[in-house]
Amino acid sequence: MNVKYIKSNTSFKGLVIIPVYETENETLFEDIKISKKLFFGKKDTNYIVEKNDVNYLFIGLGKSPDYKTIKTIFRRISAKQSSYFETNATFVLPIEFTDLNVEAAISGLVLGTYNLGHYKKEKISHTINNEIFVLEILSENDFKTSVEKGIKIANAQLETFNLVDLPSNKITPKYLSNWAVEAGNKYGFKTEIFDRKKCEDVGLHSFLAVGQGSEREPQFIIMDYNPSNSKKHIGLVGKGITFDTGGLNIKVAGMVHMKCDMAGAGAVLGAMQLISDLKLPYRITAIVPACENSVDAKSFLPSDVINSYSGSTIEIIDTDAEGRLILADGLSYLIKNYKPETVIDIATLTGSSVGTFGYECGALFTNNEELSKKLQQSGDAIGERLWQLPLWDSYKSDINSEIADVKNYSGKPVAGAISAAKFLEHFTDKHTSWAHLDVAGVAFGDDEFAKTKHATAFGVHLITNFIENL
Ligand code: BES
Ligand code: MG
Ligand code: ZN
């Protein structure tokens, strides 16, 4: 796609996109008049007028659409009305549009080019992605920065869509580590990979226990983006279970969706791309422990006691509570070796968080009120909402083990997301600025853009926006 910026136009061609706020009046554009009966800018409506081979597409925005609404409206146009886009489109920006409105609209248009049919014989590529496609931005004002940012956000989210939607025989731990190396080279961050042998030497016992039943070699991925103008050091950890069978406590329901169990990793990888692409002045160290939770003679067993990087021993009550085991080593390794000022982990960690919040928001855990507020503000601003659950010490007994320092599951079907968070907290070395995001309900789901569950890239923009607003 090529973007051109124009201040006026006398000869439109191809498609002309005209967003319209809900109005009491009839809609007028150039010499086109639309009666109120047919169109008045109501949200989720649109109206097309064909005139002299030019298609004028009027898009209803409603009265005061938020960021997510605008993004979805434009994603819908490019995803569902792709035939409208040929070689040229002019985007007529309403005078009311702010920088953020433009960013949301453009990133929606680009996101709408995504196609789930990765392995179809006949690949469909969206015309917006053609090299010759020209998008003209028509406005009196200069929106170049917002347009470019909108494209970067969508590009990072598209990467995350790919990583999460592709199946586990393609997205192996090795695939993720290769991705991280390549993205690091392209966007300017350093990547270091620990293979199984190196993880053994380093002592990432808890991480290795989860991956030991898989043919696919675990990869402990460390990325470091360290610009010279860095203002603060942030640490990220993303759960990278490329497939979760449950292990020997094999899943009896919903296993087919468990290629999504690296969506936390996908969010961290996408955020690393976006943060470095935007050249944000913050040092970010990100860790993705990546492995597969498989069923095998070599798999770890319920009742096993394993070691961890931190030195704490862990009693395995349930091999399906594997995410917290790999995050434990990720968190301890990050905090011990890099000492970031703030640490955020993101994971499809528990069915319990889905039971609590459904598909509306991620569960947020932190003892730091300021961090909580800032993360929630970012989420509200861009439409990736979070809601806080408690980390009270009264829940600590859920992870007390008689044989080891901690156990990985309370054994009780209650407060699962909270006890998982308490388990993680044990491995944060009492860090005073740590937040855990359980995104099991929001990272992968159903929406209007496909018939099957698919990635949402939840977290990519949220984490980036949070960092931008520090
Ligand atoms: N990967 C799952 C959690 C999950 C559930 C992700 C639904 C996405 C959608 C996690 O590893 C898991 O299996 N959690 C168990 C923990 C339990 C055994 C303590 C759960 O939540 O049921
Ligand atoms: Mg599991
Ligand atoms: Zn899992």
Side-chain angles (χ1 to χ4, degrees), residues 239 241 244 251 258 261 293 320 322-323 348-349:
K239 174 178 173 182
I241 295 291
D244 184 12
K251 284 195 182 292
M258 285 303 138
D261 215 17
N293 188 19
D320 200 8
E322 85 298 336
T348 47
L349 204 63

Side-chain angles (χ1 to χ4, degrees), residues 20 23-27 32-49 58-60:
V20 181
T23 168
E24 309 274 293
N25 310 315
E26 61 181 6
T27 301
I32 299 169
K33 234 191 238 176
I34 309 171
S35 100
K36 272 189 66 182
K37 263 194 223 153
L38 296 175
F39 176 84
F40 57 94
K42 190 174 149 117
K43 182 171 168 265
D44 299 337
T45 64
N46 58 57
Y47 189 79
I48 189 135
V49 177
F58 294 85
I59 298 169

Side-chain angles (χ1 to χ4, degrees), residues 177-343:
S177 64
N178 287 339
W179 188 97
V181 170
E182 280 165 29
N185 291 338
K186 187 165 171 196
Y187 294 98
F189 57 84
K190 284 202 197 101
T191 306
E192 195 183 354
I193 311 296
F194 294 173
D195 59 10
R196 195 191 302 266
K197 170 80 184 37
K198 176 77 184 180
C199 291
E200 279 162 8
D201 296 346
V202 171
L204 298 165
H205 309 289
S206 181
F207 169 58
L208 286 172
V210 175
Q212 76 193 33
S214 171
E215 280 295 310
R216 300 187 168 112
E217 195 185 18
Q219 304 275 291
F220 193 81
I221 306 167
I222 306 169
M223 292 158 280
D224 199 15
Y225 168 67
N226 194 0
S228 54
N229 56 348
S230 157
K231 292 199 256 182
K232 202 176 169 188
H233 187 187
I234 311 295
L236 303 174
V237 182
K239 174 178 173 182
I241 295 291
T242 56
F243 197 82
D244 184 12
T245 64
L248 288 165
N249 291 107
I250 196 162
K251 284 195 182 292
V252 289
M255 198 202 290
V256 68
H257 301 307
M258 285 303 138
K259 66 175 181 183
C260 83
D261 215 17
M262 39 60 69
V268 164
L269 294 169
M272 281 307 278
Q273 165 171 329
L274 184 53
I275 291 161
S276 52
D277 199 10
L278 294 172
K279 302 198 166 51
L280 298 186
Y282 293 90
R283 179 173 181 197
I284 318 289
T285 308
I287 292 190
V288 167
C291 66
E292 195 184 67
N293 188 19
S294 289
V295 182
D296 186 80
K298 288 194 203 133
S299 296
F300 68 141
L301 306 174
S303 87
D304 277 358
V305 173
I306 62 171
N307 208 334
S308 67
Y309 182 76
S310 71
S312 284
T313 53
I314 306 168
E315 179 188 9
I316 303 303
I317 302 297
D318 194 311
T319 60
D320 200 8
E322 85 298 336
R324 62 199 76 183
L325 299 172
I326 71 167
L327 291 173
D329 274 358
L331 285 165
S332 337
Y333 189 88
L334 174 72
I335 292 166
K336 180 161 185 222
N337 296 286
Y338 289 91
K339 303 177 181 61
E341 292 159 82
T342 291
V343 177

